[in-house]
Amino acid sequence: MWVCLLLWVSGVLGQKDMKEKLFAFPKESVNSHVKLLPEHSGPFIEATVCMRFHSNLTREYSLFSLATETKHNAFLLFYHPAPRNQLLLSIDNKDQYYDLQGNNFTEWTSLCATWNSSVQAVWIDGKNYNKNRISDGNIKANPIIIIGQEQDLYGGKFNISESFVGEITDINMWDKALTDDNIIDYFAANAINGNILNWNNLSYNLTGGVNKHPYADPYPCIPV
């Protein structure tokens, strides 16, 4: 009884190979989310995040929210729909916007964002969007990583108008800036797994109305 009560209070804990599975967020919510537990806690002076997803939302929403105790946008991927049609990549609370040139993410999309002290880049479906240098920045230790919501405080203060509705799969994170060849490998669905978040050995805490499902195409990607 106490075990059941603990799971009900804290959410559903899991650790498993998520290959050929996805997280589905069926409706907007102020609390539904998945907390992804990293393999190690940093700090990080460079990083790459890759994921595949789709959504029919026409409002803005968060895709990947990593917060530290001092920076709630330590590594944030956030979509602004038309007329802006921009993807925000925020590192160490420093924002950079990328014009998406018509891509609205309603179809399965493969996305990578990579960063170190000299380069910052976003790749979408095999296309490299312009790179932008940043002068400094780092991600402090003990991050909280959440999909489905955006953290406006460390681990919380969610806003329903920024919640994600749709499906997300194949999330990986590395403590380095991947090379162009590495990223092309990800888009080509080759075996490339993160050392911070590894979709094939993922630890997570699921809260609220999030579901896990299999999906027909285990690698919704584009030919390269």
Side-chain angles (χ1 to χ4, degrees):
M1 179 176 179
W2 284 108
V3 173
C4 293
L5 179 61
L6 177 62
L7 289 175
W8 182 82
V9 171
S10 62
V12 179
L13 293 171
Q15 181 173 14
K16 64 180 298 183
D17 185 348
M18 289 289 290
K19 184 178 180 180
E20 300 187 23
K21 292 182 174 61
L22 56 80
F23 289 122
F25 301 80
K27 62 182 181 180
E28 62 181 15
S29 166
V30 74
N31 73 320
S32 294
H33 66 279
V34 182
K35 182 178 180 181
L36 306 177
L37 308 178
E39 294 288 331
H40 68 82
S41 60
F44 309 111
I45 58 172
E46 52 187 297
T48 302
V49 172
C50 291
M51 62 193 304
R52 310 186 205 276
F53 68 97
H54 72 94
S55 174
N56 290 320
L57 284 174
T58 56
R59 59 160 172 79
E60 63 184 18
Y61 54 84
S62 175
L63 283 165
F64 184 92
S65 175
L66 184 156
T68 64
E69 293 184 55
T70 58
K71 301 289 177 66
H72 64 273
N73 290 343
F75 196 118
L76 172 68
L77 288 165
F78 193 93
Y79 175 57
H80 294 274
R84 289 180 62 172
N85 198 31
Q86 292 180 321
L87 181 73
L88 166 65
L89 171 59
S90 185
I91 303 291
D92 196 31
N93 280 18
K94 300 176 179 69
D95 296 345
Q96 179 63 54
Y97 291 90
Y98 296 81
D99 294 325
L100 297 181
Q101 303 169 16
N103 194 330
N104 61 10
F105 301 145
T106 57
E107 302 294 332
W108 274 110
T109 300
S110 297
L111 167 67
C112 289
T114 190
W115 154 82
N116 62 22
S117 61
S118 60
V119 68
Q120 187 169 318
V122 164
W123 293 68
I124 298 174
D125 285 343
K127 179 179 179 180
N128 184 357
Y129 285 69
N130 61 313
K131 300 180 179 181
N132 303 276
R133 292 184 180 277
I134 55 176
S135 58
D136 55 15
N138 61 80
I139 298 173
K140 302 295 186 184
N142 303 313
I144 294 178
I145 304 172
I146 284 176
I147 57 171
Q149 303 284 345
E150 197 227 333
Q151 302 172 77
D152 285 329
L153 285 177
Y154 184 53
K157 197 177 179 182
F158 304 145
N159 186 332
I160 192 171
S161 66
E162 298 172 337
S163 64
F164 176 79
V165 178
E167 296 176 329
I168 295 178
T169 189
D170 206 13
I171 300 174
N172 287 275
M173 180 176 178
W174 297 260
D175 60 357
K176 62 181 180 179
L178 294 189
T179 67
D180 292 357
D181 287 344
N182 291 153
I183 292 174
I184 292 300
D185 278 344
Y186 175 84
F187 287 125
N190 293 334
I192 174 170
N193 303 121
N195 65 337
I196 303 302
L197 298 173
N198 180 350
W199 190 250
N200 290 348
N201 186 30
L202 188 70
S203 299
Y204 60 88
N205 187 336
L206 188 155
T207 300
V210 186
N211 301 310
K212 290 190 303 179
H213 295 300
Y215 56 107
D217 181 0
Y219 294 105
C221 62
I222 54 108
V224 293

